[in-house]
Amino acid sequence: MRIAVISDIHSNEHALRKALSIIDKSAIDEIYCLGDIVGYGAFPNECIELIRQRAKHCVIGNHDVAAIDPTFADYFTKHGRIAVQWTHSTLTEKNLEFLKSLPYTVTTDLCTLAHSGPAEPEEFEYVQSLQSAAKQFSAFSTQLCFIGHTHIPTLCGENLKTFVLKNGMRFLINVGSVGQPRDGNPQLSFGIFDTTLWRYQNIRAEYDVEGASRAIHDRGLPPLLGKRLFQGQ
Ligand code: ZN
């Protein structure tokens, strides 16, 4: 089976449609989504509708929680808070209900899915150190755990020393962000895992950054949220 794992779309329909077009050419059996479908970008309803149609599993992200209840965004940046308010007032009732229905974690026979990590998933900690990765390993029992949240693609084995996928070892895999990469590379990022070959690929691809950025401007969202897409920051 081949699984595509996507995360942190952040209402960027241009990037999401490009990722789905790659997925459609890659013999993918199932799509899993790791949350933050909304926030920052101009197309929250469109992105939720695509995820509702295409993803077999989806977990909730901190921006999805904030879109349901904007008071959750008190610790966000100023621009993030403006986007949360706009998203909350733009979402249809049906799409808000969909976000409310999402769990914090999903476990399949193969893997665990969580937005930030399976250890205290409601806290949305950033897994950016080996210490934090070790904490996550103690919170799942499947062979793989897929996460997002930092918008930076990484892969780490349970011994905290192996950074290339091997069979027989458990791995924590951050698939990066479809809609707002932050590793200095503006190309969209997601993962494809092949269970037969036991192979993981981090996919990077260009998309219409110009269109996504223009839409942010046209909707009256903070222009900085469009500009950062060109820089991958
Ligand atoms: Zn995010």
Side-chain angles (χ1 to χ4, degrees), residues 61-140:
N62 53 319
H63 282 261
D64 307 318
V65 172
I68 297 165
D69 175 9
T71 61
F72 182 82
D74 288 348
Y75 74 95
F76 284 19
T77 62
K78 183 178 152 215
H79 297 309
R81 287 199 305 275
I82 292 168
V84 161
Q85 286 293 350
W86 180 84
T87 302
H88 178 72
S89 59
T90 301
L91 284 178
T92 65
E93 203 52 49
K94 201 172 169 189
N95 287 334
L96 271 172
E97 286 306 315
F98 174 75
L99 293 183
K100 286 180 195 167
S101 76
L102 295 175
Y104 281 89
T105 60
V106 166
T107 305
T108 73
D109 288 343
L110 171 77
C111 62
T112 301
L113 310 175
H115 181 64
S116 60
E120 303 171 301
E122 296 172 33
E123 296 299 318
F124 297 111
E125 175 184 332
Y126 288 90
V127 180
Q128 289 175 314
S129 66
L130 293 177
Q131 191 188 18
S132 174
K135 193 168 124 190
Q136 307 308 319
F137 276 105
S138 60
F140 70 92

Side-chain angles (χ1 to χ4, degrees), residues 150-212:
T150 63
H151 299 207
I152 296 171
T154 56
L155 184 149
C156 179
E158 191 170 13
N159 63 1
L160 308 179
K161 283 189 253 179
T162 305
F163 305 101
V164 179
L165 192 78
K166 281 184 186 168
N167 205 344
M169 188 184 288
R170 300 201 309 141
F171 276 85
L172 185 64
I173 301 174
N174 190 317
V175 299
S177 168
V178 169
Q180 198 194 78
R182 285 184 199 155
D183 60 349
N185 176 355
Q187 296 184 337
L188 66 83
S189 172
F190 68 97
I192 292 180
F193 187 77
D194 189 310
T195 60
T196 310
L197 301 175
W198 207 257
R199 193 174 71 151
Y200 176 74
Q201 287 172 274
N202 177 226
I203 308 292
R204 303 301 297 254
E206 288 182 359
Y207 70 95
D208 182 6
V209 176
E210 186 87 42

Side-chain angles (χ1 to χ4, degrees), residues 8-82:
D8 295 278
I9 295 150
H10 285 292
S11 301
N12 185 338
E13 187 188 6
H14 293 75
L16 178 57
R17 285 196 182 276
K18 180 62 187 272
L20 290 172
S21 79
I22 296 167
I23 287 168
D24 289 338
K25 292 179 204 138
S26 304
I28 297 299
D29 300 293
E30 293 180 352
I31 301 173
Y32 302 164
C33 176
L34 304 178
D36 274 9
I37 307 170
V38 301
Y40 300 133
F43 301 99
N45 286 305
E46 293 82 350
C47 290
I48 291 177
E49 277 148 30
L50 284 166
I51 293 302
R52 282 172 48 197
Q53 288 161 22
R54 303 295 308 271
K56 178 172 169 103
H57 299 297
C58 185
V59 293
I60 197 162
N62 53 319
H63 282 261
D64 307 318
V65 172
I68 297 165
D69 175 9
T71 61
F72 182 82
D74 288 348
Y75 74 95
F76 284 19
T77 62
K78 183 178 152 215
H79 297 309
R81 287 199 305 275
I82 292 168

